[in-house]
Amino acid sequence: MISKINKYAEDILDVLDEGVYISDRDGYTLHVNRAYEGITGLTRDELLGSRVTDLKKVGKYDVILNPEIVQTRKPKSVVQLTKNGRRVVLQGHPVFDERGEVALVVTFARDTTALSRMEEHLGFQRELIKTYQKTILGEGRDGTLPLPLSKSSAMLELMDMVKNVSTTDATVLLLGETGVGKNFIAKEIHRSSPRFKKPFIEVDCSAIPENLVESELFGYAPGAFSGANANGKPGYIEMANNGTLFLNEIGELPMQVQAKLLRFLQDQEYVRVGSTTLQKVNVRVISATNKNLEEAIREKTFREDLYYRIRVAVVHLPPLRDRGGDILPLINYFLGTFTKRYNKNVSFEDAALQTLEKYHWPGNVRELENMLHSIVATSPNNTTLAPQDLPLSVLMNNESHGRKSLQDLVAEFEKVEILKVLRVTNSLARAADELSIDRVTLYRKMKKYDIASPSQG
Ligand SMILES: Nc1ncnc2c1ncn2[C@@H]1O[C@H](COP(=O)(O)OP(=O)(O)OP(=O)(O)O)[C@@H](O)[C@H]1O
């Protein structure tokens, strides 16, 4: 019976799914089954008759079990990395002869690559969920987002273009000064696009340290670099799959990342840092910058080919000072938002509104939003604000951007000082006293600078 089994021993071993490797006590390979060849990518011809120590020397294995098992006479397990890049769990067992000496070492090999891939995949999914949760929580911080308030002809025209662009998958480049609403418009394009139920992922390219930009955008494989998450990490591109990726401040991307981004934009394929597997996604890209990219191209800090790739549709957002018709609706909108939030009744006199309309808003909508927030938060309840209650930056209204004449500078200084003193004293007589001028002179200067009289006269 046994002799019959011996006759078919090799065939029996070939039926197994597990790899079997048998060596003698000196480490010479006596037999490997078919599964072992499949798992390790090594052939019988390469292995039979060779010594495990020599196979390790020539790099076919990174670790071996045989010498230790012969020495300790005990079973042992290790994880071996094979030349075809698989992770194999080896379990070696000693087989003793009639004198109790180790005669053979039989090693079973199990491929764990599929398992590791599943674990890696699960790790990525976990990271992805964490990031989505963060993104969703971030988005909801102010409740639902308002619709863009667009009354000026410049904005109405622009919103028409945004509507047309939204229905396509075209790459969009949003240009405009800081605070004009590029981020706001990017979200609007996403919301009106067929991708609206999928993620909108914003990346502020200027806020990521240069050495991390590539791994943040494209993700990294487990063990890609020291200090990396053991599960690997999905990049923003992967998170935006089927949705929209908004690359804010794209002009700040390092050159080598620009090259990788260009390849990704061309065929929607990329490789995670530390990996060789190609990832395929479907992502619509919107970029924004307040930098002059043409100048950056001349200075060789921005790739020309990438520039043409990202500017399939270009949307120029005008500064708020050139969108006169938007200022009042935006004031009303933010006044409504913040008075509701702080449960206060705060309003503006017409003259104050006119002053705000004339202001040149260098920080654009963001400045207006922050100013309204601060005014409502710091004003007592039931206040109607006069022009002199407005922030000094508004009252100074530095409209001219070039060098000012000495005369203008003196006038500006005088106006601000008068406003400051009037604000503190709330009385014409006491303010004149503080400024060491007579009341008639003060009154004349107030007329000149369009400053209203204090309530106490
Ligand atoms: N039309 C609008 N209606 C209501 N709020 C707006 C509008 N445009 C911009 N905002 C608000 O103004 C603030 C600044 O806008 P946003 O962040 O979009 O500017 P940005 O151009 O992207 O600025 P930066 O270049 O500094 O990134 C945001 O809080 C945004 O919600």
Side-chain angles (χ1 to χ4, degrees):
M1 186 69 158
I2 292 289
S3 64
K4 202 166 183 185
I5 293 176
N6 280 345
K7 186 176 164 207
Y8 294 109
E10 288 194 12
D11 296 329
I12 294 169
L13 290 177
D14 276 346
V15 179
L16 297 175
D17 285 337
E18 275 182 330
V20 179
Y21 173 96
I22 304 172
S23 59
D24 66 14
R25 57 170 292 119
D26 296 321
Y28 285 99
T29 314
L30 301 177
H31 184 73
V32 292
N33 72 347
R34 199 171 290 149
Y36 187 86
E37 288 182 300
I39 291 169
T40 60
L42 298 167
T43 64
R44 282 179 188 170
D45 289 347
E46 281 176 87
L47 300 172
L48 292 184
S50 302
R51 227 176 155 177
V52 276
T53 41
D54 295 333
L55 292 168
K56 187 182 171 200
K57 257 187 225 150
V58 295
K60 297 211 194 277
Y61 301 130
D62 64 338
V63 285
I64 51 173
L65 284 173
N66 186 297
E68 196 178 329
I69 291 178
V70 173
Q71 202 192 356
T72 61
R73 303 161 55 86
K74 287 193 182 133
K76 182 172 166 64
S77 301
V78 288
V79 177
Q80 188 178 62
L81 192 68
T82 64
K83 68 165 198 184
N84 57 1
R86 293 200 181 167
R87 292 221 323 245
V88 179
V89 174
L90 298 183
Q91 278 183 325
H93 299 268
V95 176
F96 300 100
D97 63 15
E98 61 281 359
R99 284 175 293 135
E101 299 289 333
V102 176
L104 303 172
V105 175
V106 178
T107 305
F108 296 99
R110 288 184 197 91
D111 183 4
T112 61
T113 314
L115 196 65
S116 319
R117 280 215 190 107
M118 271 171 69
E119 271 175 1
E120 185 183 316
H121 189 68
L122 267 175
F124 268 90
Q125 295 301 322
R126 251 181 251 126
E127 290 295 322
L128 208 57
I129 290 168
K130 265 196 236 157
T131 317
Y132 280 148
Q133 278 170 341
K134 261 196 246 156
T135 313
I136 292 162
L137 289 175
E139 175 88 353
R141 72 187 196 285
D142 281 335
T144 50
L145 282 156
L147 283 172
L149 297 149
S150 313
K151 293 270 160 80
S152 65
S153 55
M155 274 312 267
L156 288 175
E157 224 172 83
L158 192 136
M159 289 317 293
D160 269 349
M161 178 171 178
V162 165
K163 221 192 287 162
N164 293 336
V165 154
S166 297
T167 53
T168 72
D169 254 352
T171 349
V172 181
L173 177 62
L174 301 171
L175 298 172
E177 290 177 12
T178 182
V180 277
K182 298 186 289 297
N183 191 311
F184 189 83
I185 295 295
K187 283 185 188 143
E188 195 53 34
I189 293 176
H190 172 74
R191 260 200 302 269
S192 341
S193 80
R195 296 171 180 260
F196 72 101
K197 284 194 177 147
K198 302 290 178 188
F200 173 89
I201 302 289
E202 183 192 347
V203 184
D204 183 351
C205 303
S206 65
I208 310 173
E210 202 172 319
N211 58 339
L212 292 183
V213 180
E214 186 182 354
S215 57
E216 289 288 306
L217 268 185
F218 297 96
Y220 60 79
F225 46 86
S226 62
N229 187 326
N231 290 325
K233 198 169 176 273
Y236 290 120
I237 290 180
E238 192 166 343
M239 292 174 207
N241 196 12
N242 297 315
T244 306
L245 178 72
F246 174 46
L247 297 174
N248 204 357
E249 310 295 356
I250 193 169
E252 305 302 323
L253 276 185
M255 283 299 254
Q256 102 273 3
V257 178
Q258 289 180 28
K260 191 161 174 178
L261 180 66
L262 177 68
R263 282 198 298 280
F264 160 69
L265 287 173
Q266 272 155 358
D267 41 28
Q268 296 269 314
E269 283 176 350
Y270 66 95
V271 173
R272 290 178 192 141
V273 174
S275 167
T276 49
T277 318
L278 209 58
Q279 305 286 325
K280 181 114 188 100
V281 284
N282 175 355
V283 172
R284 196 240 182 112
V285 174
I286 302 178
S287 331
T289 183
N290 48 34
K291 212 173 168 172
N292 182 338
L293 290 182
E294 278 160 11
E295 207 172 290
I297 292 168
R298 279 194 294 280
E299 286 166 1
K300 307 240 177 301
T301 55
F302 201 80
R303 291 180 67 111
E304 190 168 7
D305 43 10
L306 178 61
Y307 177 60
Y308 290 116
R309 194 69 194 72
I310 58 171
R311 48 166 299 145
V312 175
V314 182
V315 178
H316 283 271
L317 278 113
L320 191 54
R321 63 185 163 277
D322 294 344
R323 293 156 40 183
D326 286 345
I327 295 175
L328 274 186
L330 280 168
I331 290 174
N332 286 330
Y333 168 72
F334 289 120
L335 192 63
T337 305
F338 295 119
T339 47
K340 194 167 160 218
R341 184 182 302 174
Y342 293 105
N343 199 18
K344 274 186 184 175
N345 178 14
V346 177
S347 57
F348 292 105
E349 283 179 7
D350 284 349
L353 287 175
Q354 280 160 20
T355 310
L356 287 170
E357 258 192 307
K358 275 192 253 151
Y359 180 53
H360 71 293
W361 301 106
N364 295 296
V365 185
R366 179 177 297 116
E367 184 184 6
L368 189 145
E369 180 178 359
N370 290 342
M371 191 182 290
L372 267 286
H373 190 171
S374 147
I375 286 176
V376 176
T378 55
S379 298
N381 198 8
N382 299 320
T383 316
T384 301
L385 294 142
Q388 59 265 37
D389 300 319
L390 297 174
L392 293 175
S393 54
V394 175
L395 300 171
M396 284 166 68
N397 202 12
N398 299 328
E399 238 156 338
S400 85
H401 301 292
R403 174 158 281 293
K404 290 179 192 153
S405 68
L406 184 64
Q407 200 180 5
D408 286 346
L409 286 170
V410 171
E412 213 165 72
F413 180 77
E414 197 172 55
K415 179 180 173 185
V416 172
E417 286 308 303
I418 294 172
L419 277 163
K420 273 199 225 163
V421 175
L422 279 171
R423 197 169 287 180
V424 176
T425 57
N426 201 20
S427 143
L428 204 72
R430 269 185 284 144
D433 227 29
E434 280 277 318
L435 293 163
S436 308
I437 50 177
D438 60 63
R439 279 170 64 174
V440 178
T441 312
L442 177 58
Y443 190 71
R444 194 169 36 81
K445 287 186 189 291
M446 284 166 60
K447 275 213 113 74
K448 177 178 164 195
Y449 299 128
D450 205 12
I451 300 173
S453 291
S455 45
Q456 292 178 28

